[in-house]
Amino acid sequence: MTAAGDRLGPTLFERSRPGRGGGKVPHPPKDTLSRIPSDQLRAEGPNLPEVAEPELTRHFVNLSQLNYAVDSGFYPLGSCTMKWNPKVNEWAARLTGFASLHPFAPDELAQGTLQLLWEVEQWLAEIAGMRAVTLQPSAGAQGELTGILMVRAYHRSRGDLARTEVLVPDSAHGTNPATASMAGFATVSIPSAPDGGVDLDAFRAALSPKTAAVMITNPSTLGLFESRIGELLAAVHAAGALAYMDGANLNAIMGRFKPGEAGFDVMHFNVHKTFSTPHGGGGPGAGPVGVGEKLLPFLPVPRVLREPDGLFRLERPGERTASIGRVRSFAGNTGVLVRAYAYLRAHGASGLREVSDDAVLAANYMKSQVTGVLDVPFSRHCMHEFVASSATLKAQTGIRTLDVAKRLIDYGFHPPTIYFPLTVEEALLIEPTETEALETLDAFVQALRSIVDEAHSDPDLLHSAPHSSPVRRLDEATAARQPNLRWRPMTGRQMPCPD
Ligand SMILES: *Cc1c(COP(=O)(O)O)cnc(C)c1O
């Protein structure tokens, strides 16, 4: 099956014409081929498409314009924080001193980058109320694994080998239970209470001498602040377990709530979400991890240290033996951390608090506007995102959240996150972020209203949406079970055979 519409056009292989060639390489040395040992020369040229340079450029530029991006429109993907990424960050990350620094450069030649990394660590520690931060992990998920490996090392260092379980609320991101099992723990799922918070009684009942850690997302993936967080953390510590905070939703609480001061022992940051790096399509990212006193000895190596003389250096091998070791090459995803630095410095402390306040304001505004259009299961004040549901619409018209999401594409919007969290039927998780204009928020709500009208008047239009996108609706079962993502190459130098 092919899902390609007209706008996708032929592939480069299909455009290829023998002898048409690409661009010119300036002045190749005349003896290039004779310098390669003859047994390493291929007998035939590679099967690369032959197209002229302008055709090649247009092909990729046109493809790039089929992408939906924050730079082209509203992208309210809940939990992902697809906010505007200021262009000054890109400028900073491309500065030659950062971008061209060799990862093996000796500390003396890397002082600027080391100082920047050290300062990012100080900022993050201050924002989270943590003692120290490792910048090494490449993403939130890897940050989680790093954090839980430190928890494991902590219990082992005390000879406490009985702690084999990690408690995770049922509204958690899938990476939380995945992390727990990758680190060798059994996951115990904790149900949510009717108000969307963790069910405190079920939580207390699940805590035991077997509990190594509890992973809590706060605000939760329902966009709700865990109002009984003090009681929860007291119970965790009374049981001798440690508290992990999934900090993906930090953009709701900066300057208002410090997880470390509240009693969390460890948390990760999604730097690419909260501190703005373009992160569609799986990367790039950075998932620094902050720790309190107890986990300090176990931080990955190498940390960036500041010497009494003000110079910076990386920890040397063997310098801190309790460390869980390295979790990534070099010092981390430095380009993303440079962007975070630019963002942190541009906003300052009061600016960051404003970011959170505006994100919460935008979400509550949208929530009030969506109420009455779709179901809004939790009426209490939300944080930076809120959950809506098409359950009533489905009962009335047969139109599901999937249809609503696909139809939003025809209205020019990226759909919100759908069917997550799993605890809400026909869920839409909407995160407007602080960077959108009031008119944009209103236009999105208006589109939702129109779609609900269409659901009553012309449901078939919705079942077959989207109608305007380069790729039409996929058969999701086939796409998931028999993905055919490979273009079969031509044989020899013949024209490609369609397959
Ligand atoms: C995004 C997210 C993660 C995973 O972070 P990545 O950087 O994508 O690996 C974990 N938990 C929550 C709540 C998230 O939103």
Side-chain angles (χ1 to χ4, degrees), residues 240-255:
L242 297 186
Y244 185 98
M245 192 176 106
D246 181 328
N249 296 335
L250 187 69
N251 67 318
I253 53 173
M254 288 187 290

Side-chain angles (χ1 to χ4, degrees), residues 78-80 138-142 144 172-176 217 221 246 248-249 268 270 272-273 285-287 420:
S79 212
C80 297
S138 294
Q142 200 192 8
E144 289 175 35
H173 197 270
T175 49
N176 290 192
T217 309
T221 55
D246 181 328
N249 296 335
H268 78 260
N270 295 69
H272 42 292
K273 296 178 181 172
F420 178 79

Side-chain angles (χ1 to χ4, degrees), residues 3-351:
D6 295 344
R7 283 165 59 197
L8 281 185
T11 65
L12 276 184
F13 285 98
E14 287 155 350
R15 284 175 201 273
S16 176
R17 296 290 176 275
R20 202 159 276 184
K24 301 264 179 291
V25 181
H27 310 300
K30 291 211 170 43
D31 59 344
T32 306
L33 286 184
S34 62
R35 286 198 225 166
I36 300 173
S38 58
D39 62 336
Q40 288 178 28
L41 280 174
R42 46 193 308 163
E44 265 181 60
N47 280 331
L48 295 176
E50 297 184 60
V51 289
E53 191 170 334
E55 243 188 315
L56 180 77
T57 303
R58 285 174 197 154
H59 177 72
F60 284 112
V61 170
N62 289 333
L63 272 184
S64 77
Q65 289 176 352
L66 301 178
N67 274 344
Y68 194 95
V70 174
D71 284 6
S72 54
F74 186 47
Y75 208 138
L77 203 57
S79 212
C80 297
T81 312
M82 306 303 274
K83 65 185 182 187
W84 174 251
N85 305 291
K87 295 299 172 213
V88 67
N89 298 357
E90 301 305 313
W91 165 83
R94 283 195 194 113
L95 287 171
T96 314
F98 297 124
S100 302
L101 182 69
H102 195 285
F104 284 130
D107 294 345
E108 310 84 88
L109 298 182
Q111 284 298 302
T113 296
L114 291 177
Q115 178 172 358
L116 177 140
L117 295 175
W118 187 84
E119 286 187 22
V120 170
E121 177 180 333
Q122 309 310 305
W123 273 85
L124 295 182
E126 170 69 26
I127 291 166
M130 289 290 178
R131 269 294 309 276
V133 172
T134 171
L135 302 175
Q136 240 181 65
S138 294
Q142 200 192 8
E144 289 175 35
L145 183 63
T146 305
I148 293 298
L149 288 178
M150 286 192 270
V151 167
R152 193 176 74 174
Y154 166 81
H155 291 307
R156 283 185 181 173
S157 74
R158 307 167 78 236
D160 187 350
L161 305 179
R163 297 187 181 271
T164 52
E165 293 178 352
V166 171
L167 310 193
V168 181
D170 60 5
S171 60
H173 197 270
T175 49
N176 290 192
T179 289
S181 55
M182 274 188 79
F185 293 104
T187 304
V188 179
S189 180
I190 307 296
S192 302
D195 70 353
V198 175
D199 182 329
L200 201 55
D201 293 332
F203 183 79
R204 284 209 176 97
L207 280 167
S208 80
K210 290 208 293 193
T211 313
V214 170
M215 298 181 84
I216 295 174
T217 309
N218 192 31
S220 72
T221 55
L222 295 164
L224 300 172
F225 192 85
E226 200 60 69
S227 51
R228 289 165 300 233
I229 198 70
E231 287 168 79
L232 278 170
L233 291 173
V236 173
H237 290 134
L242 297 186
Y244 185 98
M245 192 176 106
D246 181 328
N249 296 335
L250 187 69
N251 67 318
I253 53 173
M254 288 187 290
R256 299 285 178 197
F257 174 75
K258 292 192 175 187
E261 285 178 8
F264 279 101
D265 299 289
V266 48
M267 72 168 274
H268 78 260
F269 304 78
N270 295 69
V271 158
H272 42 292
K273 296 178 181 172
T274 312
F275 305 111
S276 72
T277 281
H279 59 275
V289 179
V291 296
E293 203 66 42
K294 286 182 189 140
L295 295 184
L296 208 49
F298 307 104
L299 280 169
V301 282
R303 296 188 57 203
V304 180
L305 303 178
R306 189 170 68 169
E307 299 286 29
D309 61 5
L311 290 179
F312 298 88
R313 71 172 176 89
L314 288 175
E315 267 179 337
R316 292 187 255 281
E319 195 169 335
R320 196 160 40 82
T321 49
S323 164
I324 60 163
R326 201 179 246 300
V327 297
R328 188 196 185 281
S329 54
F330 308 116
N333 216 349
T334 309
V336 176
L337 298 166
V338 175
R339 288 174 178 85
Y341 180 81
Y343 187 83
L344 289 163
R345 293 299 303 262
H347 283 80
S350 62

